[in-house]
Amino acid sequence: MSERELGRSGLRVSPLAFGGNVFGWSADEATTHALLDECVALGLNLVDTADVYSAWVDGNQGGESETLIGRWLQKSGKRERVVIATKVAKWPQRRGLSPANIQAACEDSLRRLRTDVIDLYQAHEDDPSVPLEDTLGAFSRLIEQGKVRAIGASNYIAPRLAEALDVAKRHHLPRYETLQPEYNLVDRAGYEAALEPLVREHGLGVIGYYSLASGFLSGKYRTEADAAKSSARGAQVVKQYLNARGKRVLAALDDAACRHAATVAQIALAWLIARPGVTAPIVSATSITQLRELAAARTLLLTKSDIAALDGASAG
């Protein structure tokens, strides 16, 4: 499948992105490097991470994902074959979007990533305590310094994203070229109601996270007993999604998977890839086999009736 542009940034990426949140957590260094090598072999060129990954793991401090990616970039010599996206604002050591913090966090990320430039630098969350003009001005200086190519926003609500786009235009500052929202077949309303019309109006790229709803859309959780497959997280997924609507969605995914000789996860990703305005849903994997399965979704073309059935099952 052909590459897509991230907003108007000039950066072109595969219609599926790889999430580096597993690096330094459920994927050790050897596994991380093997997965990144396979991403390049498969043509998955957008690697998304953040400075805070994976600070939630006992013994970690944050920055582990970027560090492992940086070691791979240095070892593999494949820097020109990947688009590196990282984020600032959520890590307690570099919290917020003040100009000083953005500059310092970027320098830290560049050092860990062992690269001279971050292709896509994203505000991991909004920071209402800082004027948008100041935040965008800080990002502008990083672009002028050649340390960042384009900027994006993650977890912004529609009014604040619209305001940021307006501020950028009025003050002749770089605009957010991408949005990273939570978006999948069972989490639709938060994105589609207000954010989708906005990003389509302004031509932003969308690289959504939780593309498989924490594994629910892979068909992993079909009964309450399946919660045990993933410790505490499994119980949360079952409680959140295993209801009448969730079961309808799984049934529709099963039907489409049977028609296309595909897996349930591939169908769920193909639906996202086909969604107008979506550039590259983010997926994560901890094995080469899993990565190859997910990557195959890029060439899976759903019919109009497939999409209508999935839309109907997930409505409401």
Side-chain angles (χ1 to χ4, degrees):
M1 183 173 283
S2 60
E3 293 182 342
R4 300 171 173 184
E5 186 175 4
L6 284 172
R8 300 170 186 164
S9 68
L11 299 169
R12 301 194 65 82
V13 298
S14 164
L16 204 61
F18 192 84
N21 60 311
V22 296
F23 300 155
W25 175 27
S26 48
D28 61 15
E29 183 163 354
T31 303
T32 294
H33 290 188
L35 287 167
L36 288 168
D37 282 333
E38 187 65 18
C39 280
V40 171
L42 293 168
L44 296 180
N45 66 332
L46 176 56
V47 178
D48 178 81
T49 186
D51 56 5
V52 72
Y53 298 166
S54 47
W56 55 85
V57 180
D58 288 343
N60 283 4
Q61 296 182 341
E64 288 80 13
S65 176
E66 290 181 332
T67 297
L68 292 183
I69 293 170
R71 290 175 184 166
W72 173 79
L73 289 173
Q74 185 177 58
K75 178 182 176 182
S76 69
K78 297 175 181 176
R79 177 64 182 93
E80 300 307 313
R81 300 184 66 182
V82 290
V83 173
I84 299 294
T86 192
K87 312 181 195 74
V88 56
K90 275 193 174 184
W91 190 20
Q93 294 188 35
R94 291 284 183 225
R95 176 80 71 182
L97 294 174
S98 70
N101 189 65
I102 289 173
Q103 184 74 40
C106 181
E107 300 287 357
D108 289 347
S109 288
L110 287 168
R111 184 179 64 255
R112 286 189 293 267
L113 289 164
R114 304 190 186 194
T115 187
D116 295 328
V117 61
I118 295 166
D119 297 308
L120 178 65
Y121 200 32
Q122 302 159 96
H124 206 161
E125 63 183 2
D126 189 14
D127 183 355
S129 72
V130 180
L132 284 164
E133 184 179 355
D134 291 352
T135 292
L136 294 172
F139 283 132
S140 178
R141 285 187 287 278
L142 290 174
I143 293 173
E144 291 168 1
Q145 293 164 8
K147 295 174 180 178
V148 168
R149 290 199 168 98
I151 59 173
S154 178
N155 299 306
Y156 272 52
I157 60 173
R160 284 288 286 178
L161 180 59
E163 185 181 356
L165 293 170
D166 180 63
V167 167
K169 184 176 181 179
R170 284 191 288 110
H171 294 277
H172 306 288
L173 293 167
R175 71 169 198 165
Y176 289 134
E177 292 294 345
T178 60
L179 174 69
Q180 188 170 142
E182 179 177 1
Y183 187 46
N184 57 62
L185 258 174
V186 286
D187 292 300
R188 297 181 59 178
Y191 167 71
E192 291 180 11
L195 285 166
E196 183 179 46
L198 182 63
V199 299
R200 294 189 67 187
E201 176 188 354
H202 291 274
L204 273 62
V206 176
I207 45 178
Y209 63 90
Y210 285 170
S211 300
L212 293 176
S214 299
F216 180 75
L217 295 173
S218 71
K220 181 178 180 180
Y221 305 101
R222 294 178 181 271
T223 68
E224 291 187 6
D226 290 335
K229 293 180 179 180
S230 183
S231 63
R233 183 56 179 161
Q236 182 180 341
V237 171
V238 166
K239 181 179 180 180
Q240 183 174 357
Y241 298 120
L242 193 62
N243 48 37
R245 176 171 172 264
K247 291 176 181 178
R248 287 198 309 271
V249 171
L250 289 178
L253 287 169
D254 286 336
D255 288 345
C258 183
R259 286 193 295 274
H260 290 273
T263 67
V264 167
Q266 288 168 347
I267 298 295
L269 293 174
W271 179 86
L272 279 172
I273 290 170
R275 185 78 187 178
V278 170
T279 309
I282 299 171
V283 296
S284 293
T286 54
S287 72
I288 299 299
T289 300
Q290 185 183 29
L291 177 57
R292 288 173 179 169
E293 175 203 342
L294 299 177
R298 294 172 299 165
T299 57
L300 182 56
L301 299 178
L302 299 180
T303 65
K304 290 182 179 179
S305 60
D306 291 329
I307 293 172
L310 292 166
D311 284 346
S314 60

